[in-house]
């Protein structure tokens, strides 16, 4: 707890990222990783294998951009340094360690950016209809654009809509229906894919496509899936990820993810 408190104080953050919990979630993610790393190892290896395979047909390896870089659990920094001259990490919160490294290594650049373009307007969204209207308003806008030899969307698709939906739930003082959450998640995901396609360079995306909750006996008690089209992308691999073993998130269930990887 002391370590987490120190990181909370020293990690650079924007006021909005702090207000809406991105810093807290970032520190919590690292703590979870350290607790369940052995369960994540197969998932991490799959991510790294897909990344290394994506390098095989690159005409050059001067630059790479990682969208949703977080702590670089899936693609360790040493793999980026070994394979690219310039490395750009993009996220709302960058761990303190990455700030420290970026100051000492000119090859590493940190970009602090909300890839959904929703964060700065959360305060003005009072209900679900206003969130829907705002998403429609920005649906044709350029949310982000990067140019690099390789651009990686790093396991963030299902995360992009979580904060906006949580903020709306707090304001209306009730939980959104599953159908409403699926609707918003699908819209935000499609916007991300559209902007990723418009970036210049080879694209690699890996993301969870299905969540599965299992009881202590291993029986499935819930499956969730958000429908979205990956038209224009080629599926290259899929695997299962034990995100939270029994007793990590709850004594009543474990959480598994079906992860899929695509290229364009």
């Amino acid at each position: 707890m002391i370590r987490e408190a120190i990181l909370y104080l020293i990690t650079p953050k924007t006021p909005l990222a702090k207000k809406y919990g991105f810093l807290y979630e970032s520190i919590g993610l690292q703590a979870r990783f350290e607790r369940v790393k052995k369960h994540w190892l197969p998932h991490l290896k799959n991510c790294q294998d897909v990344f290394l395979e994506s390098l095989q047909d690159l005409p050059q390896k001067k630059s790479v951009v990682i969208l949703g870089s977080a702590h670089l659990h899936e693609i360790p920094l040493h793999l980026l340094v070994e394979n690219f001259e310039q490395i750009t990490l993009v996220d709302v919160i960058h761990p303190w360690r990455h700030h420290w490294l970026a100051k000492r290594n000119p090859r590493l650049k940190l970009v602090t950016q909300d890839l959904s373009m929703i964060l700065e307007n959360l305060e003005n969204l009072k209900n679900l209809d206003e969130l829907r209207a705002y998403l429609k308003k920005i649906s044709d806008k350029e949310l982000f654009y990067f140019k690099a030899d390789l651009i990686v969307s790093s396991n963030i698709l299902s995360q992009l809509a979580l904060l906006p939906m949580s903020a709306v739930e707090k304001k209306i003082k009730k939980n959104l229906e599953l159908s409403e959450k699926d609707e918003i998640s699908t819209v935000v995901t499609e916007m991300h894919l559209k902007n990723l396609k418009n970036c210049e360079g080879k694209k690699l995306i890996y993301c969870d496509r299905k969540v599965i909750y299992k009881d202590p006996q291993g029986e499935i008690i819930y499956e969730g899936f958000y429908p979205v089209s990956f038209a224009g992308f080629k599926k290259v691999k899929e695997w299962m990820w034990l995100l939270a073993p029994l007793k990590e998130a709850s004594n009543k269930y474990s959480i598994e993810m079906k992860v899929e990887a695509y290229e364009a």
Side-chain angles (χ1 to χ4, degrees):
M1 291 296 292
I2 295 176
R3 178 177 175 232
E4 283 80 3
I6 293 173
L7 288 174
Y8 191 87
L9 291 173
I10 67 173
T11 301
K13 60 273 186 184
T14 65
L16 285 176
K18 180 179 178 181
K19 178 177 181 179
Y20 289 113
F22 279 103
L23 176 57
Y24 177 83
E25 290 296 329
S26 175
I27 294 171
L29 174 62
Q30 179 62 20
R32 167 174 283 188
F33 169 75
E34 291 171 0
R35 290 194 303 270
V36 302
K37 182 178 179 180
K38 68 176 181 180
H39 298 286
W40 285 17
L41 287 177
H43 163 69
L44 301 180
K45 184 178 186 305
N46 278 311
C47 290
Q48 292 165 33
D49 287 347
V50 166
F51 169 74
L52 292 172
E53 288 165 9
S54 72
L55 306 182
Q56 300 305 310
D57 60 353
L58 286 180
Q60 61 180 12
K61 294 187 285 185
K62 290 185 177 180
S63 57
V64 62
V65 174
I66 309 295
L67 306 179
S69 52
H71 296 271
L72 292 177
H73 292 146
E74 285 92 347
I75 306 176
L77 186 58
H78 73 84
L79 286 183
L80 300 175
V81 171
E82 289 168 6
N83 288 284
F84 290 94
E85 296 175 20
Q86 294 294 326
I87 303 154
T88 301
L89 307 182
V90 185
D91 214 321
V92 175
I93 284 286
H94 295 283
W96 179 85
R97 176 174 175 271
H98 291 175
H99 284 277
W100 185 84
L101 290 170
K103 289 181 179 179
R104 288 154 179 79
N105 190 341
R107 295 171 59 191
L108 180 61
K109 177 183 178 182
L110 306 184
V111 174
T112 301
Q113 182 174 342
D114 169 25
L115 293 167
S116 73
M117 205 187 281
I118 302 175
L119 183 58
E120 63 189 47
N121 288 281
L122 270 182
E123 195 69 31
N124 302 320
L125 303 177
K126 299 180 177 62
N127 53 53
L128 182 59
D129 286 337
E130 290 190 3
L131 176 57
R132 287 187 178 116
Y134 179 69
L135 293 176
K136 184 176 181 180
K137 178 181 177 181
I138 66 173
S139 61
D140 291 326
K141 288 188 176 183
E142 181 179 278
L143 305 183
F144 60 86
Y145 173 81
F146 294 95
K147 178 181 179 180
D149 296 310
L150 179 64
I151 303 160
V152 184
S153 178
S154 177
N155 211 35
I156 59 172
L157 273 191
S158 65
Q159 306 300 307
L160 292 169
L162 292 183
L163 184 61
M165 291 190 296
S166 176
V168 167
E169 286 179 329
K170 289 178 181 177
K171 289 181 179 180
I172 65 177
K173 294 183 170 57
K174 73 171 186 177
N175 293 330
L176 297 177
E177 300 292 333
L178 288 177
S179 59
E180 294 171 330
K181 291 185 176 182
D182 287 343
E183 170 201 350
I184 298 302
S185 294
T186 299
V187 170
V188 174
T189 295
E190 288 176 342
M191 288 165 54
H192 181 81
L193 291 174
K194 175 184 175 181
N195 280 265
L196 181 61
K197 286 179 186 176
N198 291 336
C199 290
E200 189 173 342
K202 182 176 181 178
K203 295 91 175 176
L204 170 64
I205 181 168
Y206 52 90
C207 55
D208 58 279
R209 299 286 285 121
K210 180 188 289 188
V211 60
I212 302 170
Y213 287 73
K214 292 183 178 180
D215 66 19
Q217 288 72 46
E219 297 294 323
I220 296 176
I221 54 179
Y222 173 76
E223 285 186 308
F225 175 82
Y226 57 98
V228 64
S229 172
F230 278 82
F233 289 86
K234 176 186 175 183
K235 186 176 178 179
V236 294
K237 195 168 185 176
E238 65 177 52
W239 62 88
M240 297 303 297
W241 173 21
L242 181 55
L243 174 69
L246 190 65
K247 298 183 180 180
E248 169 60 28
S250 170
N251 291 327
K252 297 181 179 180
Y253 56 79
S254 61
I255 306 174
E256 292 183 43
M257 298 283 196
K258 180 185 178 184
V259 180
E260 297 178 354
Y262 296 83
E263 288 183 350

